[in-house]
């Protein structure tokens, strides 16, 4: 099967041979395709055909560059979007499942619980106080050496989203995004990485091997 720029793709093709640009452009096309079709069932074979690479070769360069498996990346994206819809809309779970490409609600529920530890209904009930979510999907601008704070700050700047951070215990703490700020210790911003909340400053959480960051404006636990 021909590759980008007319080059031939073979399993003997070393990743280093393409490091100059073909890998970047192929993965960029791959990520754009996933983003544009996240509401559908997406297979490795389908995406590989779209970017003119063999499935096995695409799988290898995806894992080598992104440090996450192809299917894990897609599911992380889908579950993050589903979580946002569950919190910020009243759409039935079955409808949300279809919106992100799951034909069976039962399978969606299984994958959702694997990622979050909760069923969709439990997740919605537990997060009823969430007012806003800012979702940052991984792209090729992320560097393995970046932290969640690095990636988030750059995303806010690139998308003209106002934010404010201040030092707390020697680390930057983001307490205002898009005009929503901490409110007397009752509400504020927390962040999740691949739908899990780290117990550390955003400056200390690396993004290597991660797929999606979400900043969530909600009530603090216990309020």
């Amino acid at each position: 099967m021909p590759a980008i720029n007319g080059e031939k793709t073979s399993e003997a093709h070393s990743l280093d041979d393409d490091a100059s640009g073909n890998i970047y452009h192929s993965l960029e096309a791959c990520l754009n395709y996933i983003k544009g079709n996240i509401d559908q069932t997406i297979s490795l074979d389908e995406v590989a055909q779209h970017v003119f690479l063999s499935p096995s070769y695409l799988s290898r360069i995806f894992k080598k560059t992104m440090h996450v498996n192809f299917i894990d990346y897609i599911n992380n994206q889908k579950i993050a979007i589903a979580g946002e819809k569950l919190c910020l809309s009243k759409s039935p779970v079955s409808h949300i499942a279809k919106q992100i490409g799951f034909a069976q609600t039962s399978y969606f529920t299984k994958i959702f619980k694997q990622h979050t530890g909760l069923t969709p209904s439990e997740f919605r009930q537990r997060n009823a106080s969430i007012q806003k979510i800012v979702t940052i999907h991984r792209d090729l601008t992320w560097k393995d050496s970046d932290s969640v704070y690095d990636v988030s700050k750059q995303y806010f700047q690139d998308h003209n989203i106002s934010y404010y951070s201040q030092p707390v215990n020697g680390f930057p703490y983001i307490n205002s995004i898009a005009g929503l700020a901490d409110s007397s210790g009752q509400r504020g911003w927390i962040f999740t990485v691949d739908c899990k909340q780290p117990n550390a400053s955003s400056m200390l959480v690396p993004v290597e091997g991660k797929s999606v960051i979400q900043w969530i404006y909600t009530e603090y636990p216990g309020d």
Side-chain angles (χ1 to χ4, degrees), residues 10 14 27 40 45 51 54 57 76 88 107 113 116 119-120 148 152 158 170 206:
S10 71
S14 76
L27 288 178
Q40 305 293 323
D45 288 352
V51 300
S54 72
Y57 183 61
N76 284 329
L88 302 179
Y107 183 62
K113 189 169 184 178
T116 67
T119 67
V148 167
S152 301
D158 291 344

Side-chain angles (χ1 to χ4, degrees), residues 134-148:
V134 178
T135 301
I136 307 174
H137 301 281
R138 179 169 188 153
D139 59 28
L140 295 177
T141 66
W142 293 27
K143 300 181 181 66
D144 291 340
S145 59
D146 284 341
S147 68
V148 167

